[in-house]
Amino acid sequence: MAAEQANLVAFGSCNRQRLPQSFWKQIGSLHPDLFLWMGDAVYTKGYSFPALPTAFQQLLSDGNYTSFAAQTTIDGVWDDHDYGVNDGGVHVVDKAQRAQEYMRFLQQSNPPSPSSTADVDAATAQDFSWMDTTGEHGLYHSRTVQMGPASVKFLFLDTRSFRDDHFVPSLGQVKFPLSAIIASAFRGAYSVLGFGRQYAGDVLGTTQWAWLENELAQSTADVHFVVSSIQVLTSNPVVESWGHFPIAKRKLMDLLAKYDPPQLHFLSGDVHLAEVSQATVHRTDGSVSRWQEITSSGMTHTCQDNPINKVLCPAMLYLFHQHRSTVDAFYTHRNFGTIEYVPAGGPAAAAAAAAARHPSQPTLKVNVRSLEPAHMLQTQPLTSVTIPLPSSSSATATTAAAASRAAIARVQYADFYVIPWYLVLLVVLNVLLFARYLFVVRPQRLRRAPHAVNTATTPATPTTPTTPTTGAAIKED
């Protein structure tokens, strides 16, 4: 069966379903053929399983979302909040039921259209044939669409069902006030101190690794998007990412380098901001290329929604910027992403203008777009990626082009920044000196203070010298 046709694919993540959902009208005005969840489609009020269907039903009963879903196909994968446990992984209870609930959510987001044909219904059924009714095998799957002359393959990774605990298990999995913020701060602190740099915890699990390798080995697509709910290439240790699982991250990079799929990019969510990250690919012939990651996160809320985070979020982004091509290639307001097919050339009536606007060959344009009223649906220039496409669709041509590329020698990406040992020692010494002042020096000064104050403030009483009259008085003195 031929792959579904698409001219525009939209994607996004982090949607608090209890907040206003009118932004679906803005996304719908672009008429996307496909919308992809990068995770966190809903947020639960508690971590127990019953909270999950309640949250999904709240979104599914919102008229803005259902009207949008009726006009496009919905696909995607979960992250921790639509998994139902913040920072959750392999040890979350009721995993199978949670997976069933997410699959039910996707199915209910794709109701049969009264105007659809049998072929369309059959194609939709085939697109969701990966679903396992038991929910025991996770949510990883692939989807291929035809965008202009190019076949585009999306590889959805399940980064929750089989993921081990962090090097230090996250406090975010325990529900108490500010637990998520405390967990993020602690995770960032031990990471920059160098702990966990050789941690062998896994992300995908044995079966999913085998599935991914088979998908890469068998793929004849022209463009590949690896969809990971958590970021892959970030150097920011505060957020959840593949970087907290360094052995698994290197395994992923090595696997992708082994099969070297053409036009490889990553899509991700989770972090409540948008940015473009990159890894440098060095080939054996000396040529250099880039693997890029487009993160779109924060449809209803972002990392700077309160006064404290308005300061902390930009400071964090400027501090940990090594994974971005430019320091300021990020966007911290509400957003979503699009992948748009742009044909070669332009209108004949405006040849000169078209030549300036359009490339000489067809492309895919990946953009992060704003959901803020002040600059509604305007593309942010620093969060945009252009992907050149072949001029014609041919699996044979794609295979030949891939074979002509030199092999990948290594993939270079930014690791977490680690504070040098002498700076750590300096910080520890300062902490010890401060503790000594706080618990030793200051109490001693306070104990002496009342006598000093009385001596300084009590006025001297005039006295008249007297001459002792007895030897006893002199002896006592």
Side-chain angles (χ1 to χ4, degrees), residues 236-306:
N236 184 350
V238 176
V239 301
E240 282 199 286
S241 73
W242 280 78
H244 292 288
F245 302 86
I247 305 301
K249 181 176 179 177
R250 172 47 63 188
K251 182 177 180 179
L252 177 64
M253 296 295 107
D254 289 345
L255 185 62
L256 294 171
K258 176 182 177 181
Y259 290 100
D260 194 12
Q263 298 293 4
L264 174 67
H265 295 77
F266 301 90
L267 300 178
S268 58
D270 179 58
V271 292
H272 303 174
L273 59 99
E275 65 178 346
V276 177
S277 312
Q278 66 176 16
T280 304
V281 179
H282 299 269
R283 298 186 179 275
T284 54
D285 63 355
S287 62
V288 175
S289 58
R290 302 281 186 271
W291 288 346
Q292 293 178 295
E293 176 179 1
I294 301 91
T295 300
S296 174
S297 173
M299 301 178 79
T300 56
H301 58 290
T302 69
C303 72
Q304 59 169 22
D305 276 352
N306 61 63

Side-chain angles (χ1 to χ4, degrees), residues 142 178 240 268 332 335 426:
S142 65
L178 301 179
E240 282 199 286
S268 58
T332 57
N335 64 87
L426 184 63

